[in-house]
Amino acid sequence: STDAAQLPAFGAQTLRALPPELHATMGMGQIYADIASIGKSYLEAHAALDWRLIKGKNTWITYDEIHFSSAAPAYPRQLIDGYVTILRTWDVQGIRGKLQQIADYIHQNSLPLQQVKCICYDLTSAFLREISALDNHVTYKLSASYDVFTIAEYDSVSELVQKIADLSEAIRLYIAKREEHQSGDLVSQCMSYLQSNIANAQFSLSSCSEQFHIAPQTLRRKFKEATGQTLSSTMTALRIARAKELLTTTRLDISEICTRCGYLDQSSFIRLFKAEAGVSPGKFRELHGREI
């Protein structure tokens, strides 16, 4: 047939005739009357096949579908900037939404192939930059856990979008697990720090947060989430426990015990002790002390 209008039907029929397990994408050049033009038709078919980046795989693409308009639509810089911004938060739904907007823009505006390649490059390079930024803040590299460079292997815009979305979801889970692990480590280190500062009357939430290079409100929240107690109440419990130990195992004066437990005011110490133990320090020593 020399009827170019029949090419799409030929492409569809050929794909249907292939075995289901065989996936193929067909590029078809124009029909020429003379055999000498077969080379030209082949080059056109090859150029058409490159457009699978836009049309996707497992389909047919004719040379007539390719657009070489000199008045190309504007580059979607704002959409890409929005994608980069949301990528930094690893908000999976937000990332999927921004990617879909970019894909829709590509398909609705008949962008030139070279422009689509640039868009895909911007999407992948931004993703890899954020992975690198994460790697710089952790001991165990994220890129060692996931083969993130597979996003550079794609045949179509839709495939790239799906890969980035799937990897973003995996990374969000990784970050959540890492934060949970770090939170546990932080609480353990914080408890050790509290123990070593029982006698320090200058101890405060601010000094503790400075020790671990974390904002006071963040430390307060993470500690409460992990232990169910505040830092202040935990330190008070540790100090009262130390006071009980000193009362029952030493002959130190109450004033000395007060100082060794981080209290400058003896009356405040006695009041807190009685609130925690139910009796005054002197009475506690009388009830629980032993011969030394």
Side-chain angles (χ1 to χ4, degrees):
S1 173
T2 57
D3 184 4
Q6 292 192 28
L7 274 177
F10 169 75
Q13 180 182 355
T14 304
L15 286 181
R16 284 197 302 269
L18 293 174
E21 67 276 7
L22 181 60
H23 302 288
T25 305
M26 294 176 57
M28 295 181 286
Q30 298 181 90
I31 297 174
Y32 293 96
D34 59 300
I35 194 69
S37 298
I38 192 170
K40 184 178 180 181
S41 183
Y42 168 78
L43 292 176
E44 291 171 349
H46 198 278
L49 194 59
D50 283 343
W51 279 68
R52 67 188 182 279
L53 181 64
I54 299 173
K55 281 203 69 175
K57 298 188 299 181
N58 306 321
T59 187
W60 43 265
I61 309 166
T62 66
Y63 185 75
D64 288 340
E65 295 177 73
I66 300 177
H67 304 283
F68 296 101
S69 172
S70 58
Y75 197 77
R77 176 53 57 195
Q78 281 189 316
L79 291 176
I80 292 173
D81 288 344
Y83 156 78
V84 172
T85 300
I86 200 70
L87 193 61
R88 291 172 184 149
T89 68
W90 296 108
D91 174 1
V92 178
Q93 293 305 315
I95 291 170
R96 287 185 188 275
K98 292 297 181 184
L99 288 170
Q100 191 57 55
Q101 288 179 359
I102 294 169
D104 290 344
Y105 183 87
I106 291 172
H107 291 116
Q108 292 168 6
N109 290 278
S110 302
L111 270 62
L113 182 61
Q114 194 58 40
Q115 197 173 80
V116 175
K117 288 181 177 180
C118 290
I119 292 171
C120 291
Y121 172 79
D122 281 344
L123 296 180
T124 54
S125 61
F127 184 86
L128 293 174
R129 273 198 310 272
E130 290 309 311
I131 294 295
S132 178
L134 279 176
D135 277 356
N136 290 336
H137 290 87
V138 294
T139 303
Y140 187 70
K141 303 301 183 186
L142 178 62
S143 54
S145 302
Y146 298 97
D147 189 5
V148 294
F149 296 101
T150 58
I151 67 163
E153 302 168 1
Y154 55 88
D155 288 312
S156 67
V157 171
S158 58
E159 184 180 352
L160 173 61
V161 164
Q162 189 61 49
K163 280 193 171 187
I164 292 177
D166 290 346
L167 272 170
S168 297
E169 188 165 2
I171 290 165
R172 177 66 262 175
L173 291 173
Y174 174 91
I175 292 173
K177 289 181 180 178
R178 191 189 74 195
E179 288 177 347
E180 182 180 346
H181 177 71
Q182 287 180 330
S183 179
D185 284 348
L186 176 64
V187 170
S188 176
Q189 293 171 13
C190 194
M191 287 298 293
S192 296
Y193 186 72
L194 293 179
Q195 289 277 7
S196 64
N197 279 271
I198 287 176
N200 179 10
Q202 303 304 317
F203 172 84
S204 65
L205 173 62
S206 296
S207 64
C208 190
S209 63
E210 288 174 5
Q211 171 71 19
F212 299 107
H213 307 288
I214 186 172
Q217 61 270 25
T218 303
L219 177 60
R220 183 189 296 112
R221 175 177 56 80
K222 286 183 177 293
F223 191 89
K224 181 70 178 292
E225 287 175 352
T227 66
Q229 304 292 325
T230 64
L231 273 164
S232 177
S233 63
T234 300
M235 177 55 104
T236 298
L238 290 173
R239 283 172 165 167
I240 297 303
R242 177 65 61 81
K244 289 178 178 178
E245 178 187 354
L246 294 175
L247 285 167
T248 57
T249 61
T250 74
R251 292 180 178 175
L252 293 172
D253 292 339
I254 301 297
S255 59
E256 178 64 20
I257 292 175
C258 172
T259 302
R260 292 196 182 192
C261 291
Y263 293 103
L264 298 178
D265 181 55
Q266 186 171 326
S267 60
S268 295
F269 165 67
I270 293 173
R271 186 173 62 255
L272 280 170
F273 188 94
K274 190 170 183 179
E276 290 286 327
V279 293
S280 67
K283 188 64 176 178
F284 185 88
R285 169 174 272 172
E286 180 183 329
L287 295 172
H288 303 280
R290 57 179 181 268
E291 288 293 327
I292 300 172

